[in-house]
Amino acid sequence: MAMPLRQSIKVATYLAEQKLRRRDKFPLIVELEPLFACNLKCEGCGKIQHPAGVLKQRMPVAQAVGAVLESGAPMVSIAGGEPLMHPQIDEIVRQLVARRKYVFLCTNAMLLRKKMDKFQPSPYFAFAVHIDGLRERHDESVAKEGVFDEAVAAIKEAKRRGFRVTTNSTFFNTDTPQTVIEVLNYLNDDLKVDEMMISPAYAYEKAPDQEHFLGVEQTRELFRKAFAGGNRRRWRLNHSPLFLDFLEGRVDFPCTAWAIPNYSLFGWQRPCYLMSDGYVPTYRELVEETDWDRYGRGKDPRCANCMAHCGYEPTAVLATMGSLKESLRAMRETVSGNRE
């Protein structure tokens, strides 16, 4: 686990405060989508399926920042669409960082080198670049040649300027343990990104490609084999040890989608960013008026093959905080990651 020590301490303090206040449901990180428009058509994304009028909309800065502050979450993942297409994305980031929120700006990196001057390096800020494989595999997944090379060039330039750079890689049933190993080795050893997030692809209803998503057993077998031989310990993965155990099938967890809520142009999405059962204007309404017992594997058939981090990473984090053994294990991996 390569989360910076300062960030780990802030998250742990936040979790302790929620426990003292006896709050059952609270956000760890907000998925903020200030627009749905994008400059690519990735096979696993359904955001650009919205009508043209919706794709032209841009969330005002005050609305975006206000939603995060309302939730109280210590971390924010800004996605979309492509957030660098938002004309005031730098101001959204600036205001959130000024409030000491940890901000991850998710991007396909096509505009990153052009927009980089708008941002300042900060321990509270990171670019999160989407990389789904090496050159051929990545360009195929985004349906455009040259995207991988541009993303790599942007990562190198961002690192040169002192920015934290993380990556997010989604894996499909067309991947093998070897393709997983190859891309994570490249990101970890060659590009030397600060942290890497991995995600098994989930067939949510708006995704244009419904044929290449992973089932639960496929996911477990894929990551169990990819993690073998010490890879899991060596890679700077931005996940709790228990979530990695979950991906391998060593443990199983219920979904806690309320801990990584999605806020978009439509409001707070119920129950998560992968499923759309309506929207509400406030996080409080999302938490208090959603029947969370309806969702999760074994409850809602749409959740049958989901092992996405938005539902299960927070469960793993909460389980870690509730166990001295697991807390010490996570602390050891955090300290080890920060020494490398």
Side-chain angles (χ1 to χ4, degrees):
M1 186 179 179
M3 183 185 290
L5 189 58
R6 179 188 301 184
Q7 184 179 344
S8 298
I9 293 172
K10 181 165 184 174
V11 172
T13 302
Y14 170 79
L15 291 173
E17 290 174 354
Q18 307 314 304
K19 187 174 182 179
L20 286 173
R21 295 177 182 181
R22 298 184 179 180
R23 290 179 176 168
D24 294 328
K25 293 180 175 63
F26 47 85
L28 286 175
I29 182 169
V30 170
E31 296 264 3
L32 177 67
E33 295 179 327
L35 79 172
F36 292 130
C38 191
N39 50 2
L40 292 177
K41 298 179 180 180
C42 302
E43 62 185 19
C45 177
K47 298 297 182 180
I48 60 172
Q49 305 300 318
H50 290 289
V54 174
L55 294 179
K56 292 178 181 178
Q57 294 180 30
R58 304 292 184 264
M59 186 181 294
V61 173
Q63 182 181 345
V65 175
V68 175
L69 297 181
E70 175 211 346
S71 75
M75 298 180 288
V76 188
S77 174
I78 305 179
E82 170 52 55
L84 289 177
M85 292 175 64
H86 193 297
Q88 295 175 293
I89 189 61
D90 55 317
E91 182 62 17
I92 293 175
V93 169
R94 189 192 68 77
Q95 290 197 24
L96 291 172
V97 167
R99 291 167 172 81
R100 297 190 176 182
K101 302 293 184 181
Y102 284 92
V103 179
F104 299 85
L105 194 156
C106 303
T107 176
N108 58 40
M110 291 294 289
L111 298 172
L112 183 51
R113 287 197 288 176
K114 295 179 181 178
K115 303 281 188 176
M116 205 175 295
D117 287 340
K118 292 178 174 288
F119 303 91
Q120 295 295 324
S122 166
Y124 290 95
F125 176 66
F127 290 114
V129 180
H130 201 92
I131 300 288
D132 276 351
L134 297 181
R135 182 180 291 106
E136 182 178 354
R137 173 68 186 91
H138 182 72
D139 286 356
E140 178 186 9
S141 73
V142 301
K144 186 174 183 178
E145 293 184 3
V147 176
F148 177 84
D149 289 339
E150 178 59 33
V152 168
I155 289 172
K156 290 180 178 178
E157 177 62 13
K159 292 285 292 180
R160 186 189 71 79
R161 295 195 192 188
F163 287 99
R164 286 187 56 78
V165 180
T166 71
T167 55
N168 179 16
S169 300
T170 304
F171 297 106
F172 296 80
N173 64 12
T174 51
D175 281 295
T176 66
Q178 187 57 37
T179 64
V180 175
I181 291 169
E182 287 172 356
V183 68
L184 294 182
N185 275 347
Y186 178 75
L187 296 172
N188 192 84
D189 302 336
D190 296 319
L191 285 186
K192 300 185 187 302
V193 299
D194 294 283
E195 302 167 354
M196 301 177 293
M197 189 171 77
I198 55 179
S199 180
Y202 164 66
Y204 68 107
E205 60 184 359
K206 286 188 177 294
D209 179 357
Q210 293 287 320
E211 298 180 2
H212 297 116
F213 292 91
L214 289 160
V216 171
E217 290 307 318
Q218 288 177 302
T219 296
R220 289 169 175 168
E221 181 178 6
L222 178 68
F223 288 112
R224 186 164 53 243
K225 291 180 178 179
F227 288 162
N231 286 330
R232 171 177 156 172
R233 188 177 303 108
R234 184 173 59 83
W235 290 329
R236 292 182 295 279
L237 297 173
N238 185 22
H239 295 289
S240 64
L242 275 179
F243 180 72
L244 299 179
D245 288 349
F246 169 75
L247 289 182
E248 289 191 63
R250 296 184 185 184
V251 296
D252 201 8
F253 291 123
C255 173
T256 51
W258 45 262
I260 306 186
N262 173 272
Y263 185 79
S264 71
L265 294 166
F266 300 143
W268 295 96
Q269 185 169 327
R270 180 184 287 152
C272 65
Y273 85 97
L274 293 171
M275 292 167 57
S276 182
D277 285 357
Y279 298 85
V280 293
T282 67
Y283 178 72
R284 181 174 180 178
E285 289 175 77
L286 176 73
V287 169
E288 296 181 356
E289 298 179 14
T290 302
D291 184 2
W292 299 103
D293 291 336
R294 288 176 46 199
Y295 300 103
R297 281 188 281 119
K299 298 177 181 179
D300 189 316
R302 295 173 297 176
C303 304
N305 289 312
C306 181
M307 295 182 72
H309 71 279
C310 64
Y312 297 98
E313 177 78 79
T315 322
V317 170
L318 294 173
T320 298
M321 292 299 295
S323 165
L324 178 59
K325 177 182 177 182
E326 292 299 335
S327 295
L328 292 174
R329 177 189 178 196
M331 189 180 300
R332 284 196 301 270
E333 295 198 16
T334 297
V335 172
S336 175
N338 279 280
R339 286 176 178 171
E340 294 177 359

